[in-house]
């Protein structure tokens, strides 16, 4: 295998957890990326993409999700040549009670109200 077929890549995920006409959002506390977003995080070594999104949802929201559906993949390239891939999921199968984490406050909002948030 030649070196030009190998690239440094960061893998991450986000998940839109939804029920009826509501979606779960997180009001992120990080200074470099504040505001409303869907919860998510990085894929750890030796972890599948699905395992990572299930783990991240538990860590950031307190919810245990089941059967997340991959909806899209977003790609960014940094100036140093590193590729960043974001795997975007949705899921309406979950159990548990939402709880916030150090990442930010999590709460449900009506889908129609999403445009009211940054």
């Amino acid at each position: 295998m030649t070196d030009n077929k190998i690239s440094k890549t960061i893998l991450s995920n986000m998940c839109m957890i939804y029920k009826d006409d509501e979606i779960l959002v997180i009001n992120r506390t990080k200074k470099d990326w504040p505001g409303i977003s869907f919860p998510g995080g990085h894929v750890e070594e030796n972890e599948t993409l699905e395992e990572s999104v299930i783990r991240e949802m538990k860590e950031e929201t307190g919810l245990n999700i089941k059967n997340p559906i991959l909806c899209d993949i977003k790609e960014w390239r940094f100036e140093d040549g590193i590729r960043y891939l974001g795997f975007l999921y949705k899921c309406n199968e979950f159990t548990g009670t939402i709880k916030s984490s150090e990442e930010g406050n999590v709460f449900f909002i009506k889908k129609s109200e999403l445009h009211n948030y940054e």
Side-chain angles (χ1 to χ4, degrees):
M1 184 180 315
T2 62
D3 288 342
N4 65 350
K5 293 185 180 181
I6 298 173
S7 63
K8 291 183 181 180
T9 306
I10 298 170
L11 304 175
S12 68
N13 62 60
M14 293 180 93
C15 186
M16 180 182 74
I17 298 172
Y18 64 99
K19 64 178 183 178
D20 303 319
D21 67 338
E22 295 183 315
I23 54 177
L24 187 74
V25 295
I26 184 168
N27 189 5
R28 295 176 50 89
T29 57
K30 285 189 173 184
K31 291 180 182 178
D32 63 337
W33 187 16
I36 296 297
S37 179
F38 295 123
H42 290 93
V43 179
E44 295 180 358
E45 190 173 349
N46 299 318
E47 186 176 50
T48 68
L49 298 174
E50 186 172 312
E51 289 169 344
S52 74
V53 72
I54 290 170
R55 176 187 51 77
E56 285 289 348
M57 294 310 103
K58 179 65 174 177
E59 289 176 4
E60 292 194 12
T61 72
L63 298 177
N64 296 300
I65 67 169
K66 183 178 173 185
N67 300 319
I69 298 168
L70 181 63
C71 300
D72 201 0
I73 301 169
K74 295 295 180 190
E75 178 180 0
W76 298 267
R77 290 200 181 241
F78 297 122
E79 290 180 13
D80 59 5
I82 294 176
R83 180 186 309 221
Y84 190 105
L85 296 176
F87 297 86
L88 309 175
Y89 291 86
K90 68 179 180 178
C91 184
N92 66 350
E93 296 181 54
F94 58 90
T95 59
T97 303
I98 61 169
K99 67 174 184 172
S100 298
S101 71
E102 64 185 27
E103 299 283 335
N105 186 34
V106 293
F107 51 96
F108 279 98
I109 62 171
K110 296 214 178 287
K111 290 179 189 177
S112 61
E113 294 176 358
L114 184 59
H115 68 278
N116 294 335
Y117 295 87
E118 285 188 39

